[in-house]
Amino acid sequence: MSTGNRNYLSGRALAAAVALPVVLFAGFAYAQVEGQPTPGGIGLPATVTEVGRETQAFYNALLLPIITFIALSVLGLLLYVSWRYNEQSNPVPSKLTHHTGLEIVWTLAPILILVAIAIPSFRILAHQVEIPESKLTIKVTGNQWYWSYKYPEDQGGGFGFDQLMKPENELKDGEPRLLAVDNEAYVPVNEVVKLQITANDVIHSFVIPAFGVRMDAVPGRLNETWFKAEKEGVYYGQCSKICGKDHAFMPMAIRVVSRDKYDAWLADSKKKFAAAESPTRLASSEQAR
Ligand SMILES: [Cu+2]
């Protein structure tokens, strides 16, 4: 079985196979604009949180090399076997049916690969759900098909609003189609924001790629996660659970601003959204698609 196995993949080729995707994708990732997809973008979007950097490093430095190595190894093995053991080169096939050594290897190798993935994976998962000390909590509720936000009273809030996708004819300069919303949710830069996420009707999923935030919104359950955005700007996300006919049209937009601007927005919003429990939903759904 192993007679012709030499030099099947040399050490140098192996290193290249592992390094190539890392170099390629790292380069593309840094070329991205934060917060939204870019034309011709490839790789993961740029990120502005610690958890975001951890998840991307996990994918780029560990998962991608493993995926590439396995795919190339299997391809190489297939090519080698079809060349070395076809009817012409190997007219008398071996009657071998079992090989204890090989069976141990192909059982142990996947186990070891999974363990190598699991250890850093669980560490990042724990970092995502263990919420650091935070002064700001926002409750986010998924609805068919928009998001609602509530800012608590004791943190200068005491109001709630709905966030609906902006119809195309209302987009202002630079606002991305299918991502821009009527009411952006504001948060202060460099502060830990705790998110409480739930849903009213079916399961939705609150995902902001630039924050490394991904949390299911489940009716009757209050899921928690957090982020600390390090750069001002507007960051977009999309519902990531197939939740009905307008699943693709319920984006979210979070605007990260300085503490001063955030306080000013709080004061403004308190007046703007004070009138009703769901002040924006009725007005906006009339003009919705
Ligand atoms: Cu949804």
Side-chain angles (χ1 to χ4, degrees), residues 92-141:
V92 189
S94 153
K95 294 277 196 299
L96 192 81
T97 55
H98 286 79
H99 190 293
T100 312
L102 265 181
E103 281 174 26
I104 290 174
V105 167
W106 70 49
T107 308
L108 273 184
I111 292 174
L112 292 176
I113 292 172
L114 289 180
V115 170
I117 293 173
I119 293 167
S121 170
F122 281 122
R123 202 171 51 219
I124 297 169
L125 195 63
H127 197 183
Q128 282 176 319
V129 292
E130 279 167 14
I131 298 159
E133 190 74 26
S134 93
K135 281 184 286 180
L136 172 58
T137 303
I138 303 174
K139 185 179 175 194
V140 187
T141 307

Side-chain angles (χ1 to χ4, degrees), residues 30-129:
Y30 290 119
Q32 304 271 10
V33 176
E34 286 99 352
Q36 59 175 285
T38 43
I42 191 169
L44 299 170
T47 175
V48 293
T49 65
E50 202 186 321
V51 171
R53 282 192 297 275
E54 285 171 4
T55 44
Q56 295 202 356
F58 175 63
Y59 180 77
N60 287 330
L62 186 68
L63 295 190
L64 210 52
I66 292 176
I67 294 165
T68 311
F69 172 70
I70 292 176
L72 291 179
S73 307
V74 172
L75 177 69
L77 199 57
L78 283 174
L79 292 175
Y80 171 74
V81 166
S82 42
W83 163 73
R84 175 66 184 79
Y85 295 104
N86 64 34
E87 211 178 346
Q88 278 120 41
S89 3
N90 194 42
V92 189
S94 153
K95 294 277 196 299
L96 192 81
T97 55
H98 286 79
H99 190 293
T100 312
L102 265 181
E103 281 174 26
I104 290 174
V105 167
W106 70 49
T107 308
L108 273 184
I111 292 174
L112 292 176
I113 292 172
L114 289 180
V115 170
I117 293 173
I119 293 167
S121 170
F122 281 122
R123 202 171 51 219
I124 297 169
L125 195 63
H127 197 183
Q128 282 176 319
V129 292

Side-chain angles (χ1 to χ4, degrees), residues 96-275:
L96 192 81
T97 55
H98 286 79
H99 190 293
T100 312
L102 265 181
E103 281 174 26
I104 290 174
V105 167
W106 70 49
T107 308
L108 273 184
I111 292 174
L112 292 176
I113 292 172
L114 289 180
V115 170
I117 293 173
I119 293 167
S121 170
F122 281 122
R123 202 171 51 219
I124 297 169
L125 195 63
H127 197 183
Q128 282 176 319
V129 292
E130 279 167 14
I131 298 159
E133 190 74 26
S134 93
K135 281 184 286 180
L136 172 58
T137 303
I138 303 174
K139 185 179 175 194
V140 187
T141 307
N143 307 277
Q144 281 176 318
W145 290 272
Y146 60 94
W147 296 92
S148 306
Y149 296 76
K150 272 196 175 141
Y151 284 66
E153 182 110 55
D154 60 351
Q155 293 164 9
F159 59 87
F161 58 88
D162 299 325
Q163 187 174 73
L164 283 93
M165 189 184 81
K166 252 191 191 178
E168 213 168 325
N169 57 6
E170 284 175 29
L171 292 179
K172 285 191 218 115
D173 251 3
E175 281 188 330
R177 188 179 149 266
L178 302 179
L179 289 175
V181 299
D182 54 355
N183 296 312
E184 290 168 348
Y186 279 53
V187 296
V189 69
N190 284 323
E191 289 186 38
V192 174
V193 178
K194 177 169 153 182
L195 292 170
Q196 295 188 321
I197 298 167
T198 186
N200 261 338
D201 33 41
V202 300
I203 303 178
H204 301 270
S205 186
F206 188 85
V207 176
I208 310 273
F211 295 166
V213 163
R214 170 177 292 269
M215 186 57 77
D216 279 4
V218 183
R221 252 184 100 110
L222 198 65
N223 285 336
E224 291 188 337
T225 187
W226 68 284
F227 66 88
K228 185 173 137 188
E230 293 159 2
K231 200 170 167 193
E232 293 181 29
V234 57
Y235 300 93
Y236 296 99
Q238 288 177 302
C239 177
S240 296
K241 273 276 142 65
I242 311 278
C243 59
K245 80 172 173 60
D246 282 352
H247 156 70
F249 308 106
M250 52 178 294
M252 45 291 229
I254 310 278
R255 188 171 285 275
V256 179
V257 294
S258 66
R259 194 25 127 150
D260 291 349
K261 277 192 192 151
Y262 175 69
D263 288 336
W265 176 81
L266 273 185
D268 275 359
S269 303
K270 241 174 147 166
K271 281 178 235 150
K272 189 173 162 194
F273 300 123

